[in-house]
Amino acid sequence: MDNSRAVYGIDLGTTYSCISQVDKFDQAVVLRNFEGDSTTPSAVYFEPNNKDKVIVGKEAKEMLATEPENTVVFAKRDMGNDEAFDKTKNKYPYHYDPSEISAYILKKLVQDANALADNPEPIKDVVITCPAYFGTKERLQTKQAGEIAGLNVLAIINEPTAAAISYGVKLEERKTILVYDLGGGTFDVTIIQVDHGAIKVVATGGDHHLGGVDWDTALSKYMLTAFNAENGTSYDFDNEPILKNSLLLEAEMKKKNLTAKESIKWNFTYEGQNMRLELTRQQFDDITADLLNETIDKTREVIDIAKQKGYSDPDMFLLVGGSSRMPQIKERVDKEFGCDALYHDPDECVAKGAAIFAMNEAYAQAISAWEDGDIDVKPAPITGDRTTVVNVTSKTYGTDVNTDEVNNLIFANTSLPCTVKQTFVTQIANQSYVPMKVFESDFIDPQTDTIVKENQCMLVDDHKLQLTKQWPQGTPIEVTFSIDNEGILSCSARVENDKLDFTLKITGVKSSEELAYSKSIIASKTIE
């Protein structure tokens, strides 16, 4: 069997998710779910009277309007949110955390694909996508979601990079492409150089909490204001969960209608009161103008970063992500940047690009295993599209050894993999440990941001570097920060030839025991 085809790409989205593989004709294709759809809503519903049954997808999303307390959506936005991973708090039903919720979504995708696709063996090896600006914490939590779902995660790859692979793997000339990726819950903008299947990420940026659902929310609040004015009511959007979710579900549908029509009629009824509203596309654009402006500002920032690195304006703009279909997006991007932005398979290109990358990654890992003597037979060359990826880190990392300021060691938009070493010294004789907090931030300029305040950064690990011997004052400690191709940070340290334990302990990233427990819980449920 050609094992290069027994790998899959998964777009684990905030609002919709998708799974793809490279078929026997060397084409990346999306595998449909039981409902016959190419994408599955990233919604999870917990049966209140049957804790062994979990519903994922379209039916779960529909339960938002009646049982919001038993339904989870937008879990991806909570990746990296320490409070959402605190099991003592009841953010999600039954004290699940975002990685476990995401594992249910992944299980649904794989379960349906296993049942409906022409697969010679159960799906196991996958590449999962994430927003380009995810830091180490979010990437590790995403990877663990796949492991909790019982999958072997070959790699984590950035969503806009996957989209660029899907579009650019067959390009026969070098092009610099700006990928404007507006999904349901997140926004990425990434500049990528494509050259005969080689993908080099130049610069990236984005917003963890900006996506199509924010357009839905703006439209819902507009509708509620009009509803209250007409009916003399005073409903509050954030304090009426059933009303809120009913409006959001309808707003998403109306938003999609306005993509095809210049105006729509909206009838809304709540607790016996009714309102009829006519809404034009121009009104919708005006209501959401501030959100669109945010994406344009982020896009300009990334173009400026690329120019500082010696790159000229992008040759082309690629629009991906389902929310990029809104007419206001292309109109504004074209106007602001003097281009003719191209739509490329907005809903499916990320999963397809991940599948192509998965095939190449599986082959690379097999070759490595053969070279190391772990397998006896050299793998046959893959027959599909070949691609290589050079990524950049989306975050800046530093430490505050012996001070209350952060010394940044690796800056955002540095090509990966990368390693930086720096030497610090002990402050007193016979010091038992060195306080060495690790921080993550969005600073980008080594000229001005090498030393910054702690409160301007996010704490990754409040680490205490234990010294194994009694050393004199001023003893050098060599500290190494490394970021791998997946954008995940690791640290090491040594005093002379004495290697110190610098294993990061990151909130929300599970130990092997916690991972096994979560995996057993998810495996015990029936997923529909």
Side-chain angles (χ1 to χ4, degrees):
M1 180 191 135
D2 182 1
N3 288 324
S4 67
R5 301 190 189 282
V7 293
Y8 301 79
I10 297 179
D11 175 8
L12 180 60
T14 308
T15 54
Y16 290 88
S17 296
C18 184
I19 183 169
S20 173
Q21 75 174 135
V22 177
D23 66 13
K24 61 185 179 182
F25 302 108
D26 294 332
Q27 298 298 312
V29 295
V30 162
L31 308 179
R32 295 184 176 271
N33 59 23
F34 275 135
E35 293 77 26
D37 299 323
S38 60
T39 61
T40 298
S42 301
V44 181
Y45 170 71
F46 296 92
E47 290 267 12
N49 300 319
N50 184 357
K51 292 186 178 181
D52 293 328
K53 180 181 177 183
V54 178
I55 296 174
V56 178
K58 184 182 291 185
E59 185 180 350
K61 184 177 179 180
E62 292 170 352
M63 298 305 294
L64 264 178
T66 55
E67 295 184 46
E69 70 280 5
N70 296 320
T71 310
V72 180
V73 292
F74 314 137
K76 182 175 174 179
R77 281 190 163 184
D78 277 331
M79 289 294 189
N81 177 357
D82 290 349
E83 184 174 322
F85 281 87
D86 187 341
K87 293 287 190 176
T88 67
K89 298 180 180 179
N90 194 27
K91 179 171 178 62
Y92 294 136
Y94 309 121
H95 300 277
Y96 284 108
D97 63 41
S99 290
E100 293 162 339
I101 296 294
S102 298
Y104 279 121
I105 297 167
L106 292 168
K107 291 265 293 187
K108 162 71 171 174
L109 292 172
V110 168
Q111 179 176 285
D112 286 9
N114 272 326
L116 299 176
D118 182 21
N119 300 317
E121 60 185 44
I123 294 171
K124 189 73 174 177
D125 296 332
V126 301
V127 165
I128 301 175
T129 66
C130 74
Y133 52 86
F134 263 16
T136 291
K137 181 184 292 189
E138 294 94 334
R139 289 171 188 271
L140 286 171
Q141 290 167 355
T142 300
K143 197 166 191 175
Q144 288 197 335
E147 294 166 357
I148 293 167
L151 302 171
N152 176 37
V153 183
L154 298 172
I156 299 293
I157 184 175
N158 294 343
E159 290 159 2
T161 304
I165 291 172
S166 173
Y167 173 77
V169 74
K170 290 182 170 64
L171 284 180
E172 296 183 356
E173 57 182 318
R174 177 183 294 186
K175 284 188 177 293
T176 302
I177 301 174
L178 186 144
V179 182
Y180 176 107
D181 183 0
L182 185 61
T186 58
F187 174 65
D188 266 319
V189 54
T190 300
I191 295 178
I192 294 172
Q193 190 175 78
V194 180
D195 187 8
H196 294 83
I199 308 291
K200 180 180 180 181
V201 180
V202 175
T204 191
D207 192 327
H208 199 167
H209 289 272
L210 180 62
V213 67
D214 297 294
W215 271 255
D216 301 341
T217 300
L219 185 53
S220 297
K221 289 182 175 179
Y222 175 85
M223 179 63 177
L224 182 57
T225 298
F227 183 90
N228 281 332
E230 181 163 318
N231 291 284
T233 51
S234 56
Y235 293 117
D236 182 84
F237 183 77
D238 292 315
N239 293 321
E240 298 277 349
I242 291 178
L243 171 62
K244 173 182 177 178
N245 288 305
S246 296
L247 280 168
L248 284 171
L249 288 171
E250 289 204 24
E252 181 186 11
M253 180 178 65
K254 301 305 181 187
K255 175 185 69 178
K256 291 178 178 178
N257 290 343
L258 284 169
T259 296
K261 298 180 179 180
E262 290 292 337
S263 67
I264 58 164
K265 290 181 171 56
W266 189 352
N267 292 311
F268 184 72
T269 301
Y270 185 69
E271 293 191 343
Q273 293 172 305
N274 182 69
M275 180 180 177
R276 179 184 175 92
L277 181 73
E278 183 167 352
L279 187 72
T280 67
R281 183 186 293 171
Q282 185 59 56
Q283 286 175 301
F284 174 64
D285 292 351
D286 293 341
I287 293 164
T288 57
D290 288 346
L291 297 169
L292 181 53
N293 288 341
E294 289 182 46
T295 73
I296 298 300
D297 290 343
K298 292 286 183 184
T299 302
R300 289 195 183 282
E301 289 174 10
V302 174
I303 291 174
D304 288 343
I305 293 169
K307 287 183 176 178
Q308 290 168 15
K309 296 174 77 170
Y311 289 84
S312 57
D313 287 331
D315 297 315
M316 62 179 298
F317 285 65
L318 197 64
L319 303 179
V320 302
S323 297
S324 69
R325 281 197 177 94
M326 292 182 290
Q328 59 176 263
I329 302 299
K330 177 172 166 54
E331 290 172 8
R332 182 69 180 280
V333 168
D334 286 354
K335 178 181 177 182
E336 291 289 335
F337 301 105
C339 63
D340 183 11
L342 174 70
Y343 285 107
H344 176 64
D345 202 2
D347 294 321
E348 300 180 3
C349 66
V350 170
K352 290 178 179 178
I356 296 169
F357 181 79
M359 181 179 65
N360 282 266
E361 183 68 13
Y363 177 71
Q365 291 186 14
I367 287 292
S368 179
W370 173 72
E371 291 173 345
D372 292 341
D374 296 331
I375 58 176
D376 296 328
V377 180
K378 184 177 181 179
I382 58 176
T383 56
D385 292 318
R386 299 301 302 272
T387 185
T388 59
V389 174
V390 176
N391 211 340
V392 298
T393 174
S394 60
K395 298 293 182 181
T396 291
Y397 292 95
T399 182
D400 69 343
V401 181
N402 299 318
T403 72
D404 60 356
E405 294 181 315
V406 178
N407 183 355
N408 286 323
L409 303 182
I410 297 178
F411 277 85
N413 291 300
T414 299
S415 293
L416 299 179
C418 68
T419 296
V420 172
K421 296 182 179 182
Q422 189 148 328
T423 300
F424 302 91
V425 297
T426 57
Q427 296 297 294
I428 59 174
N430 304 324
Q431 198 167 328
S432 61
Y433 71 89
V434 177
M436 190 166 289
K437 297 177 182 176
V438 178
F439 290 91
E440 180 182 278
S441 67
D442 293 318
F443 290 103
I444 59 174
D445 191 346
Q447 302 300 317
T448 59
D449 301 328
T450 297
I451 305 296
V452 297
K453 296 294 184 182
E454 283 188 2
N455 61 10
Q456 296 175 296
C457 306
M458 185 189 80
L459 181 65
V460 174
D461 184 14
D462 188 358
H463 199 85
K464 290 181 173 60
L465 199 60
Q466 300 293 330
L467 300 180
T468 56
K469 298 178 183 177
Q470 293 184 336
W471 298 96
Q473 180 181 4
T475 297
I477 303 172
E478 184 184 74
V479 173
T480 303
F481 276 28
S482 297
I483 306 180
D484 63 15
N485 286 316
E486 295 179 85
I488 295 174
L489 173 72
S490 61
C491 303
S492 62
R494 65 174 58 247
V495 181
E496 295 183 355
N497 293 321
D498 190 11
K499 185 175 182 180
L500 308 178
D501 180 15
F502 202 168
T503 303
L504 295 177
K505 296 177 177 62
I506 303 175
T507 304
V509 177
K510 303 179 192 301
S511 66
S512 56
E513 293 80 11
E514 291 169 332
L515 201 59
Y517 178 74
S518 293
K519 186 174 179 179
S520 68
I521 293 296
I522 272 67
S524 69
K525 307 299 182 184
T526 299
I527 299 175
E528 295 184 357

